[in-house]
Amino acid sequence: MESNNKNFITDIIDQDLENKTYQKIITRFPPEPNGYLHIGHAKSICLNFGIAEKYSGQFNLRFDDTNPIKEEIEYIEAIKRDVAWLGADWGNNLFFASDYFDQLYQFALILIKKGKAYVCDLSAEQIREYRGSLTEPGKNSPYRDRTVDENLELFEQMKKGNYPDGSKVLRAKIDMSSPNINMRDPVMYRILTEKHPRTGDKWCIYPTYDFTHGQSDSIERISHSLCDLQFEDHRPLYNWFIEQLEIFPSRQIEFARLNLTYTVLSKRKLRELVEKKYVNGWDDPRMPTISGLRRRGFTSSSINAFCKRIGVAKRDSVVDYALLEHSLREELNLTAPRVMAVLNPVKVIIDNYPQGKVEMMEAVNNPEDLNCGTREIPFSRELYIEREDFKQDPPRKYFRLSPGREVRLKHAYYITCQQVVKDPDSGQIVELICTYDPASKGGTTADNRKVKGTLHWVSVEHGVNAEIRVYNWLFKTAHPGKNTGNILDDVNENSLEILKNCKVEPSLSSSNRGERYQFLRKGYFCVDYDSSPDKLIFNKIVSLKDTWLKIKNK
Ligand code: ATP
Ligand code: MG
């Protein structure tokens, strides 16, 4: 995995190493297990892992599992799978914030004993009221001056489960008039009679994210704790805890989150799409989740290349989705075998080709990599071509098949359309009667005649049926939710098109799930997880046209 270019974060690390502030570079990826990872998380994973690798340091995977209500084991397993797939190897360094609950409880006792934390009986709503706003200072809680002994006793009773949920909290005693609202006596512990996926019923008080995150970094001796900008205002609080507790001082550095056009990168919003069934699960190929991109056919190397390309910055920006596709296309162009598939077939009969004859046509598997060799494709009298590759009344600059027009069939012969057969009731074209030039095998003729169109085809007798799923943007607008504030208003109802009557060349009958191909002239496709030899299913990954290059060169 590469993320080794220099950036403002590596500049800070270089300084820290030079000043001997830190000896060993340890980074972490700290997901909350409340959903599946998305491409934004990939940016953070590549960054953290890349830095640990660059400095021969250590990379930890730590679950920040402080909220027992929203978390599930399913998410933990999915996250591990995705991080591993991206190539970020955490070795033995898998941790859970919930493993630190005892230690965090001891930290809380230290703060109480120092007179730096107190039990508060205000309700959540009152706490919010007392907190003030950006323009108004907060007010002290009436419980702020409880004695150390009283606080120790009340906190003990909280832990024993002697108070109902929400009736008391433990708060840090900092400064209710601080210009930084995070410093206005933030909550450290709340009562929640809730089973935790990993600690079960052991606790009925749980530390807040703010009281957990920084200390977990310290416990793991994380040297550089890389967060998104939303945590910039929390840094003074994390540093305050570290100073009061006199524990290992991890350095937090903030960077801008990844935003992508035509999608949303927030577990909460993605969960809404799953729960309200706008998509078929977290790994729906339309989702920007790692599992969705994987199922669609994205490679982990192309996601890494993308993350490297976008780099890290301190200011928020929106990256064009086309850049993600460009990174994939660049790779697949070099690696994906070329095959022929007809998505929307119409039959061609080659009138002067002998009945029952079959010729094996040699085809290069990948013109970008001749080491991939060649294969043979059966050619016969009846073929399928793409319905859109024939037009009865061709517009100007239409070089494909039309009455009287000659075109090349890829890897085979030149054919000329002689007659169009239509269904008398519907008027739909059912067959195109053509003739072929037996001397044009392999695409050249005796008189060196040129044709402008080259079509892909599949033999009727030998072709294999397949279902092909074509995806469109999940959202109709580049910035979902921008106008109404509700992303659901911008969902594209036509984001999935299922083509059930496709014909693919016979070599694909032995294709395996997850394999990627270029269907000539049609784009890149991946064998879906649900595919089987009896029923082939492909996902369209991306088209062949690179819209990123167009945007870039504008
Ligand atoms: P979400 O809103 O999607 O739930 P989160 O920040 O709450 O995101 P976490 O599980 O807490 O999700 O994130 C784990 C790590 O991933 C954090 O360090 C966070 O900074 C980082 N991260 C999350 N989203 C992005 C993003 N879009 N770009 C870069 N890093 C991200
Ligand atoms: Mg979060």
Side-chain angles (χ1 to χ4, degrees):
M1 187 180 291
E2 306 169 275
S3 180
N4 292 355
N5 24 5
K6 285 181 74 65
N7 55 49
F8 77 96
I9 295 175
T10 59
D11 289 345
I12 296 173
I13 296 176
D14 289 339
Q15 270 295 314
D16 283 344
L17 285 171
E18 203 178 303
N19 299 339
K20 302 212 157 41
T21 314
Y22 300 100
Q23 318 288 332
K24 180 176 179 188
I25 303 305
I26 308 183
T27 59
R28 85 288 171 270
F29 175 64
E32 262 180 274
N34 59 353
Y36 281 54
L37 298 184
H38 51 65
I39 180 80
H41 294 111
K43 171 175 175 172
S44 172
I45 293 165
C46 294
L47 177 66
N48 280 291
F49 182 76
I51 284 180
E53 209 176 35
K54 175 179 162 97
Y55 292 95
S56 306
Q58 179 182 317
F59 168 77
N60 294 1
L61 173 59
R62 179 178 73 240
F63 286 94
D64 269 343
D65 55 347
T66 54
N67 187 343
I69 298 173
K70 288 190 283 177
E71 293 164 7
E72 287 175 32
I73 297 288
E74 176 200 344
Y75 296 142
I76 293 179
E77 292 310 314
I79 289 171
K80 279 164 50 180
R81 199 157 55 230
D82 290 347
V83 176
W85 182 71
L86 286 170
D89 181 2
W90 59 85
N92 293 322
N93 302 303
L94 173 65
F95 302 105
F96 293 85
S98 55
D99 289 343
Y100 309 140
F101 281 172
D102 283 306
Q103 175 75 73
L104 290 167
Y105 182 76
Q106 294 304 321
F107 285 157
L109 293 181
I110 293 172
L111 292 182
I112 295 174
K113 285 178 194 158
K114 285 179 94 167
K116 298 289 182 183
Y118 62 97
V119 173
C120 181
D121 297 7
L122 292 181
S123 66
E125 200 181 319
Q126 287 169 319
I127 289 179
R128 220 173 299 125
E129 253 171 56
Y130 275 63
R131 190 182 291 142
S133 66
L134 285 173
T135 49
E136 280 167 83
K139 279 191 306 192
N140 283 353
S141 157
Y143 305 99
R144 202 173 196 261
D145 295 321
R146 280 175 163 156
T147 64
V148 168
D149 286 341
E150 199 183 349
N151 283 319
L152 284 174
E153 174 59 23
L154 289 170
F155 191 47
E156 170 88 17
Q157 296 302 326
M158 277 169 69
K159 181 182 174 232
K160 284 189 172 150
N162 290 336
Y163 301 119
D165 284 11
S167 60
K168 284 184 171 42
V169 291
L170 183 72
R171 298 176 70 177
K173 192 169 177 178
I174 309 180
D175 179 4
M176 290 306 291
S177 61
S178 168
N180 182 340
I181 292 183
N182 292 302
M183 301 299 273
R184 294 183 191 171
D185 292 9
V187 173
M188 295 162 52
Y189 267 91
R190 60 241 198 265
I191 305 172
L192 273 177
T193 329
E194 197 71 47
K195 216 180 164 83
H196 187 282
R198 296 192 83 250
T199 59
D201 291 325
K202 179 172 176 193
W203 299 90
C204 63
I205 55 171
Y206 288 96
T208 56
Y209 186 84
D210 274 348
F211 189 63
T212 308
H213 186 78
Q215 284 87 283
S216 301
D217 281 344
S218 278
I219 292 168
E220 293 174 18
R221 302 184 79 81
I222 301 299
S223 59
H224 296 86
S225 171
L226 313 180
C227 301
D228 59 79
L229 286 168
Q230 126 198 29
F231 291 99
E232 197 169 12
D233 295 341
H234 297 239
R235 175 158 33 93
L237 174 60
Y238 298 170
N239 287 343
W240 186 88
F241 285 133
I242 283 174
E243 277 159 35
Q244 296 300 326
L245 295 167
E246 298 174 48
I247 53 179
F248 182 83
S250 306
R251 176 191 291 249
Q252 177 172 312
I253 306 171
E254 302 87 14
F255 65 94
R257 284 172 83 99
L258 168 67
N259 299 298
L260 263 189
T261 54
Y262 291 99
T263 193
V264 290
L265 296 183
S266 147
K267 287 195 232 102
R268 186 178 54 76
K269 290 179 186 165
L270 294 172
R271 171 145 26 114
E272 195 174 6
L273 295 175
V274 173
E275 283 170 358
K276 297 194 172 153
K277 305 222 181 309
Y278 284 90
V279 293
N280 303 314
W282 286 96
D283 70 348
D284 187 300
R286 289 167 289 181
M287 290 280 271
T289 49
I290 305 296
S291 50
L293 292 168
R294 178 169 58 231
R295 180 166 185 178
R296 177 127 172 203
F298 277 75
T299 61
S300 61
S301 43
S302 69
I303 294 177
N304 278 293
F306 167 75
C307 292
K308 191 181 173 197
R309 203 171 239 145
I310 56 174
V312 281
K314 269 189 265 201
R315 260 212 276 142
D316 271 315
S317 65
V318 184
V319 174
D320 206 296
Y321 199 97
L323 180 59
L324 176 62
E325 294 187 333
H326 171 76
S327 302
L328 178 70
R329 215 180 263 116
E330 262 192 345
E331 178 180 330
L332 293 185
N333 178 43
L334 299 177
T335 58
R338 274 57 167 173
V339 292
M340 296 204 281
V342 177
L343 275 56
N344 185 13
V346 67
K347 213 182 248 186
V348 163
I349 314 266
I350 304 177
D351 216 23
N352 58 339
Y353 195 85
Q355 293 270 6
K357 179 172 171 180
V358 179
E359 272 178 279
M360 298 309 286
M361 300 300 188
E362 190 178 44
V364 174
N365 288 330
N366 185 353
E368 299 289 330
D369 181 359
L370 296 177
N371 291 328
C372 294
T374 59
R375 69 188 183 293
E376 293 196 317
I377 311 170
F379 182 88
S380 65
R381 189 171 187 269
E382 298 195 8
L383 310 170
Y384 291 113
I385 65 164
E386 211 69 67
R387 191 167 277 278
E388 63 178 20
D389 282 341
F390 175 82
K391 272 206 182 8
Q392 185 127 29
D393 301 301
R396 275 188 57 209
K397 296 203 171 166
Y398 183 88
F399 300 119
R400 295 173 253 170
L401 202 60
S402 56
R405 168 89 54 83
E406 186 173 49
V407 297
R408 176 192 289 114
L409 292 179
K410 183 78 180 172
H411 305 305
Y413 294 102
Y414 282 19
I415 59 165
T416 306
C417 178
Q418 307 293 355
Q419 195 192 331
V420 182
V421 180
K422 292 185 180 170
D423 180 302
D425 297 328
S426 68
Q428 220 205 12
I429 296 171
V430 286
E431 272 174 20
L432 301 168
I433 313 287
C434 299
T435 49
Y436 85 118
D437 174 1
S440 64
K441 191 167 180 179
T444 45
T445 59
D447 58 359
N448 229 349
R449 134 175 133 255
K450 297 274 178 264
V451 291
K452 284 201 167 143
T454 302
L455 311 186
H456 58 277
W457 52 272
V458 169
S459 161
V460 170
E461 185 192 336
H462 306 91
V464 181
N465 286 325
E467 174 177 313
I468 297 182
R469 299 171 182 172
V470 179
Y471 304 100
N472 219 313
W473 299 122
L474 194 47
F475 293 95
K476 286 178 287 199
T477 53
H479 307 281
K482 195 176 176 187
N483 292 330
T484 64
N486 184 358
I487 59 159
L488 299 181
D489 293 335
D490 290 332
V491 168
N492 174 9
E493 305 83 17
N494 302 314
S495 57
L496 170 62
E497 192 188 351
I498 301 182
L499 306 173
K500 289 186 181 281
N501 190 29
C502 309
K503 309 287 177 185
V504 300
E505 64 168 73
S507 71
L508 287 174
S509 58
S510 58
S511 58
N512 296 308
R513 291 173 191 169
E515 280 174 359
R516 303 170 187 88
Y517 295 92
Q518 184 191 107
F519 290 178
L520 283 181
R521 304 174 63 228
K522 287 287 146 196
Y524 293 101
F525 294 78
C526 178
V527 186
D528 189 69
Y529 298 172
D530 287 342
S531 189
S532 68
D534 301 334
K535 189 183 179 197
L536 293 178
I537 304 175
F538 294 89
N539 294 311
K540 179 163 181 185
I541 323 174
V542 278
S543 60
L544 294 173
K545 202 159 77 206
D546 200 324
T547 47
W548 171 249
L549 293 176
K550 243 205 255 159
I551 295 164
K552 200 177 72 174
N553 297 331
K554 230 192 252 170

